PDB file of all heavy atoms in Angstrom:
ATOM      1  N   ARG A   1       0.818  -1.208   0.000  1.00 75.00           N
ATOM      2  CA  ARG A   1       0.000   0.000   0.000  1.00 75.00           C
ATOM      3  C   ARG A   1       0.854   1.260   0.000  1.00 75.00           C
ATOM      4  O   ARG A   1       0.482   2.274  -0.600  1.00 75.00           O
ATOM      5  CB  ARG A   1      -0.926   0.016   1.226  1.00 75.00           C
ATOM      6  CG  ARG A   1      -1.865  -1.188   1.288  1.00 75.00           C
ATOM      7  CD  ARG A   1      -2.734  -1.142   2.531  1.00 75.00           C
ATOM      8  NE  ARG A   1      -3.592  -2.303   2.622  1.00 75.00           N
ATOM      9  CZ  ARG A   1      -4.450  -2.524   3.608  1.00 75.00           C
ATOM     10  NH1 ARG A   1      -4.555  -1.640   4.601  1.00 75.00           N
ATOM     11  NH2 ARG A   1      -5.209  -3.610   3.628  1.00 75.00           N
ATOM     12  N   THR A   2       1.977   1.214   0.707  1.00 72.00           N
ATOM     13  CA  THR A   2       2.817   2.403   0.839  1.00 72.00           C
ATOM     14  C   THR A   2       4.256   2.152   0.408  1.00 72.00           C
ATOM     15  O   THR A   2       4.955   3.086   0.023  1.00 72.00           O
ATOM     16  CB  THR A   2       2.823   2.907   2.299  1.00 72.00           C
ATOM     17  OG1 THR A   2       3.302   1.868   3.173  1.00 72.00           O
ATOM     18  CG2 THR A   2       1.418   3.303   2.737  1.00 72.00           C
ATOM     19  N   SER A   3       4.727   0.901   0.470  1.00 67.00           N
ATOM     20  CA  SER A   3       6.110   0.597   0.095  1.00 67.00           C
ATOM     21  C   SER A   3       6.265   0.619  -1.418  1.00 67.00           C
ATOM     22  O   SER A   3       5.301   0.383  -2.150  1.00 67.00           O
ATOM     23  CB  SER A   3       6.513  -0.783   0.624  1.00 67.00           C
ATOM     24  OG  SER A   3       6.312  -0.872   2.017  1.00 67.00           O
ATOM     25  N   PRO A   4       7.488   0.896  -1.901  1.00 66.00           N
ATOM     26  CA  PRO A   4       7.714   0.812  -3.356  1.00 66.00           C
ATOM     27  C   PRO A   4       7.417  -0.599  -3.843  1.00 66.00           C
ATOM     28  O   PRO A   4       7.940  -1.574  -3.292  1.00 66.00           O
ATOM     29  CB  PRO A   4       9.214   1.145  -3.498  1.00 66.00           C
ATOM     30  CG  PRO A   4       9.559   1.913  -2.265  1.00 66.00           C
ATOM     31  CD  PRO A   4       8.694   1.339  -1.174  1.00 66.00           C
ATOM     32  N   PRO A   5       6.553  -0.764  -4.854  1.00 65.00           N
ATOM     33  CA  PRO A   5       6.193  -2.107  -5.317  1.00 65.00           C
ATOM     34  C   PRO A   5       7.373  -2.809  -5.969  1.00 65.00           C
ATOM     35  O   PRO A   5       8.219  -2.181  -6.607  1.00 65.00           O
ATOM     36  CB  PRO A   5       5.075  -1.839  -6.329  1.00 65.00           C
ATOM     37  CG  PRO A   5       5.309  -0.431  -6.793  1.00 65.00           C
ATOM     38  CD  PRO A   5       5.873   0.294  -5.618  1.00 65.00           C
ATOM     39  N   ARG A   6       7.423  -4.125  -5.777  1.00 67.00           N
ATOM     40  CA  ARG A   6       8.436  -4.931  -6.430  1.00 67.00           C
ATOM     41  C   ARG A   6       7.856  -5.526  -7.702  1.00 67.00           C
ATOM     42  O   ARG A   6       6.653  -5.756  -7.813  1.00 67.00           O
ATOM     43  CB  ARG A   6       8.901  -6.075  -5.512  1.00 67.00           C
ATOM     44  CG  ARG A   6       9.536  -5.614  -4.201  1.00 67.00           C
ATOM     45  CD  ARG A   6      10.023  -6.815  -3.401  1.00 67.00           C
ATOM     46  NE  ARG A   6      10.541  -6.426  -2.087  1.00 67.00           N
ATOM     47  CZ  ARG A   6      11.049  -7.285  -1.197  1.00 67.00           C
ATOM     48  NH1 ARG A   6      11.112  -8.579  -1.499  1.00 67.00           N
ATOM     49  NH2 ARG A   6      11.498  -6.868  -0.039  1.00 67.00           N
ATOM     50  N   THR A   7       8.719  -5.783  -8.662  1.00 66.00           N
ATOM     51  CA  THR A   7       8.303  -6.465  -9.880  1.00 66.00           C
ATOM     52  C   THR A   7       9.220  -7.649 -10.103  1.00 66.00           C
ATOM     53  O   THR A   7      10.373  -7.645  -9.682  1.00 66.00           O
ATOM     54  CB  THR A   7       8.362  -5.535 -11.102  1.00 66.00           C
ATOM     55  OG1 THR A   7       9.713  -5.044 -11.260  1.00 66.00           O
ATOM     56  CG2 THR A   7       7.423  -4.342 -10.934  1.00 66.00           C
ATOM     57  N   MET A   8       8.703  -8.662 -10.772  1.00 69.00           N
ATOM     58  CA  MET A   8       9.487  -9.859 -11.044  1.00 69.00           C
ATOM     59  C   MET A   8       9.244 -10.308 -12.481  1.00 69.00           C
ATOM     60  O   MET A   8       8.091 -10.469 -12.893  1.00 69.00           O
ATOM     61  CB  MET A   8       9.111 -10.990 -10.080  1.00 69.00           C
ATOM     62  CG  MET A   8       9.477 -10.718  -8.622  1.00 69.00           C
ATOM     63  SD  MET A   8       8.963 -12.080  -7.550  1.00 69.00           S
ATOM     64  CE  MET A   8       9.914 -13.425  -8.253  1.00 69.00           C
ATOM     65  N   GLY A   9      10.326 -10.503 -13.226  1.00 68.00           N
ATOM     66  CA  GLY A   9      10.221 -11.094 -14.555  1.00 68.00           C
ATOM     67  C   GLY A   9       9.853 -10.139 -15.665  1.00 68.00           C
ATOM     68  O   GLY A   9       9.787 -10.549 -16.830  1.00 68.00           O
ATOM     69  N   LEU A  10       9.576  -8.860 -15.365  1.00 76.00           N
ATOM     70  CA  LEU A  10       9.180  -7.920 -16.404  1.00 76.00           C
ATOM     71  C   LEU A  10      10.407  -7.404 -17.142  1.00 76.00           C
ATOM     72  O   LEU A  10      11.444  -7.116 -16.540  1.00 76.00           O
ATOM     73  CB  LEU A  10       8.417  -6.742 -15.799  1.00 76.00           C
ATOM     74  CG  LEU A  10       7.040  -7.056 -15.208  1.00 76.00           C
ATOM     75  CD1 LEU A  10       6.450  -5.813 -14.563  1.00 76.00           C
ATOM     76  CD2 LEU A  10       6.098  -7.591 -16.270  1.00 76.00           C
ATOM     77  N   ILE A  11      10.290  -7.257 -18.451  1.00 82.00           N
ATOM     78  CA  ILE A  11      11.342  -6.720 -19.299  1.00 82.00           C
ATOM     79  C   ILE A  11      10.893  -5.343 -19.779  1.00 82.00           C
ATOM     80  O   ILE A  11       9.725  -5.140 -20.133  1.00 82.00           O
ATOM     81  CB  ILE A  11      11.596  -7.647 -20.508  1.00 82.00           C
ATOM     82  CG1 ILE A  11      11.949  -9.056 -20.022  1.00 82.00           C
ATOM     83  CG2 ILE A  11      12.703  -7.096 -21.394  1.00 82.00           C
ATOM     84  CD1 ILE A  11      12.003 -10.089 -21.138  1.00 82.00           C
ATOM     85  N   ASP A  12      11.818  -4.372 -19.774  1.00 83.00           N
ATOM     86  CA  ASP A  12      11.470  -3.025 -20.224  1.00 83.00           C
ATOM     87  C   ASP A  12      10.847  -3.063 -21.615  1.00 83.00           C
ATOM     88  O   ASP A  12      11.380  -3.688 -22.539  1.00 83.00           O
ATOM     89  CB  ASP A  12      12.728  -2.145 -20.256  1.00 83.00           C
ATOM     90  CG  ASP A  12      13.227  -1.792 -18.860  1.00 83.00           C
ATOM     91  OD1 ASP A  12      12.453  -1.934 -17.911  1.00 83.00           O
ATOM     92  OD2 ASP A  12      14.402  -1.379 -18.746  1.00 83.00           O
ATOM     93  N   GLY A  13       9.702  -2.391 -21.741  1.00 84.00           N
ATOM     94  CA  GLY A  13       9.030  -2.312 -23.016  1.00 84.00           C
ATOM     95  C   GLY A  13       8.103  -3.473 -23.320  1.00 84.00           C
ATOM     96  O   GLY A  13       7.464  -3.488 -24.375  1.00 84.00           O
ATOM     97  N   GLN A  14       8.001  -4.429 -22.409  1.00 89.00           N
ATOM     98  CA  GLN A  14       7.178  -5.616 -22.657  1.00 89.00           C
ATOM     99  C   GLN A  14       5.725  -5.364 -22.269  1.00 89.00           C
ATOM    100  O   GLN A  14       5.441  -4.779 -21.218  1.00 89.00           O
ATOM    101  CB  GLN A  14       7.728  -6.802 -21.868  1.00 89.00           C
ATOM    102  CG  GLN A  14       7.074  -8.135 -22.161  1.00 89.00           C
ATOM    103  CD  GLN A  14       7.732  -9.271 -21.383  1.00 89.00           C
ATOM    104  OE1 GLN A  14       8.336  -9.069 -20.340  1.00 89.00           O
ATOM    105  NE2 GLN A  14       7.616 -10.485 -21.916  1.00 89.00           N
ATOM    106  N   ASP A  15       4.793  -5.784 -23.122  1.00 93.00           N
ATOM    107  CA  ASP A  15       3.374  -5.715 -22.797  1.00 93.00           C
ATOM    108  C   ASP A  15       3.095  -6.653 -21.623  1.00 93.00           C
ATOM    109  O   ASP A  15       3.755  -7.694 -21.467  1.00 93.00           O
ATOM    110  CB  ASP A  15       2.547  -6.132 -24.010  1.00 93.00           C
ATOM    111  CG  ASP A  15       1.054  -6.008 -23.765  1.00 93.00           C
ATOM    112  OD1 ASP A  15       0.651  -5.229 -22.892  1.00 93.00           O
ATOM    113  OD2 ASP A  15       0.288  -6.721 -24.441  1.00 93.00           O
ATOM    114  N   SER A  16       2.139  -6.274 -20.780  1.00 92.00           N
ATOM    115  CA  SER A  16       1.862  -7.111 -19.609  1.00 92.00           C
ATOM    116  C   SER A  16       0.375  -7.175 -19.322  1.00 92.00           C
ATOM    117  O   SER A  16      -0.376  -6.240 -19.596  1.00 92.00           O
ATOM    118  CB  SER A  16       2.600  -6.577 -18.377  1.00 92.00           C
ATOM    119  OG  SER A  16       2.146  -5.282 -18.036  1.00 92.00           O
ATOM    120  N   LEU A  17      -0.028  -8.291 -18.767  1.00 94.00           N
ATOM    121  CA  LEU A  17      -1.368  -8.492 -18.215  1.00 94.00           C
ATOM    122  C   LEU A  17      -1.163  -8.714 -16.721  1.00 94.00           C
ATOM    123  O   LEU A  17      -0.497  -9.666 -16.321  1.00 94.00           O
ATOM    124  CB  LEU A  17      -2.041  -9.706 -18.847  1.00 94.00           C
ATOM    125  CG  LEU A  17      -3.302 -10.239 -18.154  1.00 94.00           C
ATOM    126  CD1 LEU A  17      -4.417  -9.204 -18.210  1.00 94.00           C
ATOM    127  CD2 LEU A  17      -3.748 -11.553 -18.773  1.00 94.00           C
ATOM    128  N   THR A  18      -1.725  -7.832 -15.900  1.00 91.00           N
ATOM    129  CA  THR A  18      -1.510  -7.907 -14.457  1.00 91.00           C
ATOM    130  C   THR A  18      -2.734  -8.492 -13.773  1.00 91.00           C
ATOM    131  O   THR A  18      -3.858  -8.021 -13.991  1.00 91.00           O
ATOM    132  CB  THR A  18      -1.209  -6.515 -13.873  1.00 91.00           C
ATOM    133  OG1 THR A  18      -0.050  -5.975 -14.524  1.00 91.00           O
ATOM    134  CG2 THR A  18      -0.927  -6.607 -12.375  1.00 91.00           C
ATOM    135  N   VAL A  19      -2.510  -9.510 -12.952  1.00 93.00           N
ATOM    136  CA  VAL A  19      -3.583 -10.168 -12.205  1.00 93.00           C
ATOM    137  C   VAL A  19      -3.279 -10.048 -10.712  1.00 93.00           C
ATOM    138  O   VAL A  19      -2.249  -9.531 -10.311  1.00 93.00           O
ATOM    139  CB  VAL A  19      -3.724 -11.646 -12.632  1.00 93.00           C
ATOM    140  CG1 VAL A  19      -4.147 -11.729 -14.098  1.00 93.00           C
ATOM    141  CG2 VAL A  19      -2.418 -12.402 -12.425  1.00 93.00           C
ATOM    142  N   HIS A  20      -4.208 -10.555  -9.887  1.00 88.00           N
ATOM    143  CA  HIS A  20      -4.120 -10.254  -8.463  1.00 88.00           C
ATOM    144  C   HIS A  20      -3.401 -11.304  -7.631  1.00 88.00           C
ATOM    145  O   HIS A  20      -2.994 -11.014  -6.502  1.00 88.00           O
ATOM    146  CB  HIS A  20      -5.510 -10.016  -7.880  1.00 88.00           C
ATOM    147  CG  HIS A  20      -6.417 -11.214  -7.977  1.00 88.00           C
ATOM    148  ND1 HIS A  20      -7.017 -11.594  -9.156  1.00 88.00           N
ATOM    149  CD2 HIS A  20      -6.802 -12.123  -7.052  1.00 88.00           C
ATOM    150  CE1 HIS A  20      -7.749 -12.670  -8.950  1.00 88.00           C
ATOM    151  NE2 HIS A  20      -7.628 -13.026  -7.692  1.00 88.00           N
ATOM    152  N   ASP A  21      -3.270 -12.540  -8.114  1.00 90.00           N
ATOM    153  CA  ASP A  21      -2.587 -13.539  -7.296  1.00 90.00           C
ATOM    154  C   ASP A  21      -2.043 -14.658  -8.183  1.00 90.00           C
ATOM    155  O   ASP A  21      -2.256 -14.677  -9.403  1.00 90.00           O
ATOM    156  CB  ASP A  21      -3.492 -14.086  -6.185  1.00 90.00           C
ATOM    157  CG  ASP A  21      -4.722 -14.822  -6.712  1.00 90.00           C
ATOM    158  OD1 ASP A  21      -4.791 -15.108  -7.930  1.00 90.00           O
ATOM    159  OD2 ASP A  21      -5.623 -15.120  -5.898  1.00 90.00           O
ATOM    160  N   MET A  22      -1.339 -15.613  -7.563  1.00 91.00           N
ATOM    161  CA  MET A  22      -0.692 -16.679  -8.316  1.00 91.00           C
ATOM    162  C   MET A  22      -1.689 -17.616  -9.007  1.00 91.00           C
ATOM    163  O   MET A  22      -1.476 -17.995 -10.169  1.00 91.00           O
ATOM    164  CB  MET A  22       0.236 -17.473  -7.395  1.00 91.00           C
ATOM    165  CG  MET A  22       1.090 -18.514  -8.112  1.00 91.00           C
ATOM    166  SD  MET A  22       2.212 -17.778  -9.347  1.00 91.00           S
ATOM    167  CE  MET A  22       3.378 -16.928  -8.274  1.00 91.00           C
ATOM    168  N   PRO A  23      -2.784 -18.033  -8.351  1.00 92.00           N
ATOM    169  CA  PRO A  23      -3.754 -18.867  -9.079  1.00 92.00           C
ATOM    170  C   PRO A  23      -4.290 -18.191 -10.330  1.00 92.00           C
ATOM    171  O   PRO A  23      -4.500 -18.838 -11.362  1.00 92.00           O
ATOM    172  CB  PRO A  23      -4.852 -19.116  -8.042  1.00 92.00           C
ATOM    173  CG  PRO A  23      -4.142 -19.034  -6.728  1.00 92.00           C
ATOM    174  CD  PRO A  23      -3.136 -17.939  -6.910  1.00 92.00           C
ATOM    175  N   ALA A  24      -4.526 -16.864 -10.260  1.00 93.00           N
ATOM    176  CA  ALA A  24      -5.014 -16.148 -11.443  1.00 93.00           C
ATOM    177  C   ALA A  24      -3.944 -16.089 -12.524  1.00 93.00           C
ATOM    178  O   ALA A  24      -4.247 -16.178 -13.715  1.00 93.00           O
ATOM    179  CB  ALA A  24      -5.445 -14.736 -11.050  1.00 93.00           C
ATOM    180  N   LYS A  25      -2.700 -15.953 -12.130  1.00 94.00           N
ATOM    181  CA  LYS A  25      -1.592 -15.943 -13.094  1.00 94.00           C
ATOM    182  C   LYS A  25      -1.491 -17.292 -13.802  1.00 94.00           C
ATOM    183  O   LYS A  25      -1.360 -17.359 -15.032  1.00 94.00           O
ATOM    184  CB  LYS A  25      -0.286 -15.612 -12.379  1.00 94.00           C
ATOM    185  CG  LYS A  25       0.972 -15.714 -13.243  1.00 94.00           C
ATOM    186  CD  LYS A  25       2.194 -15.274 -12.458  1.00 94.00           C
ATOM    187  CE  LYS A  25       3.492 -15.659 -13.146  1.00 94.00           C
ATOM    188  NZ  LYS A  25       3.647 -15.013 -14.466  1.00 94.00           N
ATOM    189  N   LEU A  26      -1.554 -18.367 -13.030  1.00 96.00           N
ATOM    190  CA  LEU A  26      -1.506 -19.699 -13.622  1.00 96.00           C
ATOM    191  C   LEU A  26      -2.663 -19.888 -14.600  1.00 96.00           C
ATOM    192  O   LEU A  26      -2.472 -20.394 -15.716  1.00 96.00           O
ATOM    193  CB  LEU A  26      -1.556 -20.762 -12.520  1.00 96.00           C
ATOM    194  CG  LEU A  26      -1.652 -22.221 -12.989  1.00 96.00           C
ATOM    195  CD1 LEU A  26      -0.443 -22.610 -13.822  1.00 96.00           C
ATOM    196  CD2 LEU A  26      -1.809 -23.161 -11.785  1.00 96.00           C
ATOM    197  N   ALA A  27      -3.857 -19.478 -14.199  1.00 96.00           N
ATOM    198  CA  ALA A  27      -5.035 -19.642 -15.062  1.00 96.00           C
ATOM    199  C   ALA A  27      -4.884 -18.843 -16.357  1.00 96.00           C
ATOM    200  O   ALA A  27      -5.263 -19.310 -17.439  1.00 96.00           O
ATOM    201  CB  ALA A  27      -6.292 -19.212 -14.320  1.00 96.00           C
ATOM    202  N   ALA A  28      -4.337 -17.629 -16.251  1.00 97.00           N
ATOM    203  CA  ALA A  28      -4.161 -16.795 -17.443  1.00 97.00           C
ATOM    204  C   ALA A  28      -3.168 -17.425 -18.407  1.00 97.00           C
ATOM    205  O   ALA A  28      -3.355 -17.387 -19.632  1.00 97.00           O
ATOM    206  CB  ALA A  28      -3.707 -15.392 -17.043  1.00 97.00           C
ATOM    207  N   GLN A  29      -2.098 -18.008 -17.875  1.00 97.00           N
ATOM    208  CA  GLN A  29      -1.114 -18.639 -18.744  1.00 97.00           C
ATOM    209  C   GLN A  29      -1.661 -19.924 -19.353  1.00 97.00           C
ATOM    210  O   GLN A  29      -1.385 -20.250 -20.503  1.00 97.00           O
ATOM    211  CB  GLN A  29       0.192 -18.873 -17.991  1.00 97.00           C
ATOM    212  CG  GLN A  29       0.909 -17.567 -17.680  1.00 97.00           C
ATOM    213  CD  GLN A  29       2.270 -17.728 -17.032  1.00 97.00           C
ATOM    214  OE1 GLN A  29       2.608 -16.999 -16.117  1.00 97.00           O
ATOM    215  NE2 GLN A  29       3.067 -18.669 -17.494  1.00 97.00           N
ATOM    216  N   LEU A  30      -2.443 -20.663 -18.595  1.00 97.00           N
ATOM    217  CA  LEU A  30      -3.091 -21.852 -19.152  1.00 97.00           C
ATOM    218  C   LEU A  30      -4.043 -21.485 -20.291  1.00 97.00           C
ATOM    219  O   LEU A  30      -4.207 -22.241 -21.257  1.00 97.00           O
ATOM    220  CB  LEU A  30      -3.867 -22.593 -18.054  1.00 97.00           C
ATOM    221  CG  LEU A  30      -3.034 -23.357 -17.018  1.00 97.00           C
ATOM    222  CD1 LEU A  30      -3.913 -23.799 -15.861  1.00 97.00           C
ATOM    223  CD2 LEU A  30      -2.353 -24.572 -17.666  1.00 97.00           C
ATOM    224  N   ALA A  31      -4.645 -20.298 -20.181  1.00 97.00           N
ATOM    225  CA  ALA A  31      -5.580 -19.841 -21.220  1.00 97.00           C
ATOM    226  C   ALA A  31      -4.856 -19.249 -22.427  1.00 97.00           C
ATOM    227  O   ALA A  31      -5.511 -18.829 -23.391  1.00 97.00           O
ATOM    228  CB  ALA A  31      -6.541 -18.809 -20.638  1.00 97.00           C
ATOM    229  N   GLY A  32      -3.518 -19.199 -22.385  1.00 96.00           N
ATOM    230  CA  GLY A  32      -2.761 -18.670 -23.509  1.00 96.00           C
ATOM    231  C   GLY A  32      -2.751 -17.162 -23.596  1.00 96.00           C
ATOM    232  O   GLY A  32      -2.428 -16.595 -24.648  1.00 96.00           O
ATOM    233  N   LEU A  33      -3.086 -16.469 -22.499  1.00 97.00           N
ATOM    234  CA  LEU A  33      -3.166 -15.007 -22.523  1.00 97.00           C
ATOM    235  C   LEU A  33      -1.811 -14.330 -22.392  1.00 97.00           C
ATOM    236  O   LEU A  33      -1.706 -13.118 -22.545  1.00 97.00           O
ATOM    237  CB  LEU A  33      -4.094 -14.524 -21.399  1.00 97.00           C
ATOM    238  CG  LEU A  33      -5.546 -14.969 -21.514  1.00 97.00           C
ATOM    239  CD1 LEU A  33      -6.334 -14.528 -20.295  1.00 97.00           C
ATOM    240  CD2 LEU A  33      -6.163 -14.400 -22.788  1.00 97.00           C
ATOM    241  N   GLY A  34      -0.787 -15.094 -22.090  1.00 95.00           N
ATOM    242  CA  GLY A  34       0.540 -14.522 -21.958  1.00 95.00           C
ATOM    243  C   GLY A  34       1.519 -15.576 -21.489  1.00 95.00           C
ATOM    244  O   GLY A  34       1.153 -16.728 -21.200  1.00 95.00           O
ATOM    245  N   CYS A  35       2.772 -15.180 -21.426  1.00 95.00           N
ATOM    246  CA  CYS A  35       3.822 -16.070 -20.946  1.00 95.00           C
ATOM    247  C   CYS A  35       4.252 -15.621 -19.562  1.00 95.00           C
ATOM    248  O   CYS A  35       3.739 -14.645 -19.034  1.00 95.00           O
ATOM    249  CB  CYS A  35       5.024 -16.027 -21.903  1.00 95.00           C
ATOM    250  SG  CYS A  35       5.739 -14.367 -22.115  1.00 95.00           S
ATOM    251  N   GLY A  36       5.199 -16.331 -18.955  1.00 94.00           N
ATOM    252  CA  GLY A  36       5.704 -15.872 -17.672  1.00 94.00           C
ATOM    253  C   GLY A  36       6.325 -16.970 -16.840  1.00 94.00           C
ATOM    254  O   GLY A  36       6.301 -18.153 -17.190  1.00 94.00           O
ATOM    255  N   TRP A  37       6.887 -16.530 -15.717  1.00 95.00           N
ATOM    256  CA  TRP A  37       7.554 -17.426 -14.779  1.00 95.00           C
ATOM    257  C   TRP A  37       6.571 -17.920 -13.736  1.00 95.00           C
ATOM    258  O   TRP A  37       5.761 -17.147 -13.211  1.00 95.00           O
ATOM    259  CB  TRP A  37       8.706 -16.695 -14.106  1.00 95.00           C
ATOM    260  CG  TRP A  37       9.794 -16.285 -15.060  1.00 95.00           C
ATOM    261  CD1 TRP A  37       9.851 -15.127 -15.785  1.00 95.00           C
ATOM    262  CD2 TRP A  37      10.943 -17.051 -15.417  1.00 95.00           C
ATOM    263  NE1 TRP A  37      10.975 -15.117 -16.563  1.00 95.00           N
ATOM    264  CE2 TRP A  37      11.676 -16.282 -16.363  1.00 95.00           C
ATOM    265  CE3 TRP A  37      11.436 -18.296 -15.028  1.00 95.00           C
ATOM    266  CZ2 TRP A  37      12.869 -16.719 -16.924  1.00 95.00           C
ATOM    267  CZ3 TRP A  37      12.629 -18.730 -15.582  1.00 95.00           C
ATOM    268  CH2 TRP A  37      13.331 -17.963 -16.519  1.00 95.00           C
ATOM    269  N   LEU A  38       6.640 -19.195 -13.438  1.00 95.00           N
ATOM    270  CA  LEU A  38       5.769 -19.817 -12.447  1.00 95.00           C
ATOM    271  C   LEU A  38       6.612 -20.678 -11.506  1.00 95.00           C
ATOM    272  O   LEU A  38       7.669 -21.192 -11.900  1.00 95.00           O
ATOM    273  CB  LEU A  38       4.730 -20.711 -13.128  1.00 95.00           C
ATOM    274  CG  LEU A  38       3.638 -20.036 -13.941  1.00 95.00           C
ATOM    275  CD1 LEU A  38       2.917 -21.056 -14.805  1.00 95.00           C
ATOM    276  CD2 LEU A  38       2.651 -19.303 -13.031  1.00 95.00           C
ATOM    277  N   PRO A  39       6.150 -20.876 -10.261  1.00 92.00           N
ATOM    278  CA  PRO A  39       6.829 -21.846  -9.395  1.00 92.00           C
ATOM    279  C   PRO A  39       6.798 -23.225 -10.045  1.00 92.00           C
ATOM    280  O   PRO A  39       5.779 -23.630 -10.620  1.00 92.00           O
ATOM    281  CB  PRO A  39       5.987 -21.823  -8.115  1.00 92.00           C
ATOM    282  CG  PRO A  39       5.282 -20.516  -8.138  1.00 92.00           C
ATOM    283  CD  PRO A  39       5.025 -20.218  -9.584  1.00 92.00           C
ATOM    284  N   ARG A  40       7.908 -23.918  -9.981  1.00 92.00           N
ATOM    285  CA  ARG A  40       7.976 -25.220 -10.626  1.00 92.00           C
ATOM    286  C   ARG A  40       6.935 -26.171 -10.065  1.00 92.00           C
ATOM    287  O   ARG A  40       6.364 -26.993 -10.796  1.00 92.00           O
ATOM    288  CB  ARG A  40       9.376 -25.818 -10.463  1.00 92.00           C
ATOM    289  CG  ARG A  40       9.574 -27.116 -11.260  1.00 92.00           C
ATOM    290  CD  ARG A  40      11.022 -27.545 -11.269  1.00 92.00           C
ATOM    291  NE  ARG A  40      11.470 -27.906  -9.916  1.00 92.00           N
ATOM    292  CZ  ARG A  40      12.732 -28.235  -9.625  1.00 92.00           C
ATOM    293  NH1 ARG A  40      13.655 -28.202 -10.569  1.00 92.00           N
ATOM    294  NH2 ARG A  40      13.071 -28.565  -8.385  1.00 92.00           N
ATOM    295  N   PHE A  41       6.617 -26.065  -8.753  1.00 89.00           N
ATOM    296  CA  PHE A  41       5.648 -27.000  -8.178  1.00 89.00           C
ATOM    297  C   PHE A  41       4.245 -26.781  -8.739  1.00 89.00           C
ATOM    298  O   PHE A  41       3.409 -27.682  -8.691  1.00 89.00           O
ATOM    299  CB  PHE A  41       5.645 -26.946  -6.641  1.00 89.00           C
ATOM    300  CG  PHE A  41       5.161 -25.643  -6.040  1.00 89.00           C
ATOM    301  CD1 PHE A  41       3.825 -25.336  -5.962  1.00 89.00           C
ATOM    302  CD2 PHE A  41       6.072 -24.741  -5.505  1.00 89.00           C
ATOM    303  CE1 PHE A  41       3.384 -24.150  -5.385  1.00 89.00           C
ATOM    304  CE2 PHE A  41       5.649 -23.553  -4.923  1.00 89.00           C
ATOM    305  CZ  PHE A  41       4.306 -23.258  -4.872  1.00 89.00           C
ATOM    306  N   LEU A  42       3.983 -25.579  -9.305  1.00 91.00           N
ATOM    307  CA  LEU A  42       2.700 -25.334  -9.963  1.00 91.00           C
ATOM    308  C   LEU A  42       2.747 -25.707 -11.441  1.00 91.00           C
ATOM    309  O   LEU A  42       1.793 -26.270 -11.990  1.00 91.00           O
ATOM    310  CB  LEU A  42       2.315 -23.855  -9.833  1.00 91.00           C
ATOM    311  CG  LEU A  42       1.811 -23.360  -8.487  1.00 91.00           C
ATOM    312  CD1 LEU A  42       1.483 -21.874  -8.576  1.00 91.00           C
ATOM    313  CD2 LEU A  42       0.587 -24.136  -8.020  1.00 91.00           C
ATOM    314  N   ALA A  43       3.863 -25.376 -12.088  1.00 94.00           N
ATOM    315  CA  ALA A  43       3.946 -25.574 -13.530  1.00 94.00           C
ATOM    316  C   ALA A  43       4.165 -27.028 -13.926  1.00 94.00           C
ATOM    317  O   ALA A  43       3.629 -27.483 -14.947  1.00 94.00           O
ATOM    318  CB  ALA A  43       5.067 -24.706 -14.101  1.00 94.00           C
ATOM    319  N   ALA A  44       4.958 -27.771 -13.138  1.00 94.00           N
ATOM    320  CA  ALA A  44       5.323 -29.135 -13.533  1.00 94.00           C
ATOM    321  C   ALA A  44       4.114 -30.048 -13.722  1.00 94.00           C
ATOM    322  O   ALA A  44       4.036 -30.774 -14.735  1.00 94.00           O
ATOM    323  CB  ALA A  44       6.305 -29.721 -12.525  1.00 94.00           C
TER     324      ALA A  44
END
């Protein structure tokens, strides 16, 4: 809310779809909406 936000895996100039949590990120990638890094225990 007040701290500088952290980012992970973003490349300068890259288009992004931002979601609210890890399950939503996994679901978006399964739907082919984008690429990205996932915990191996979820992706495997």
Side-chain angles (χ1 to χ4, degrees):
R1 301 179 182 180
T2 58
S3 305
R6 299 183 185 181
T7 59
M8 294 179 61
L10 292 176
I11 303 171
D12 289 343
Q14 187 177 25
D15 183 23
S16 63
L17 166 64
T18 302
V19 296
H20 62 284
D21 63 11
M22 187 61 70
K25 174 176 167 62
L26 174 61
Q29 291 185 222
L30 287 169
L33 297 175
C35 58
W37 296 87
L38 290 166
R40 187 170 65 185
F41 66 78
L42 285 180

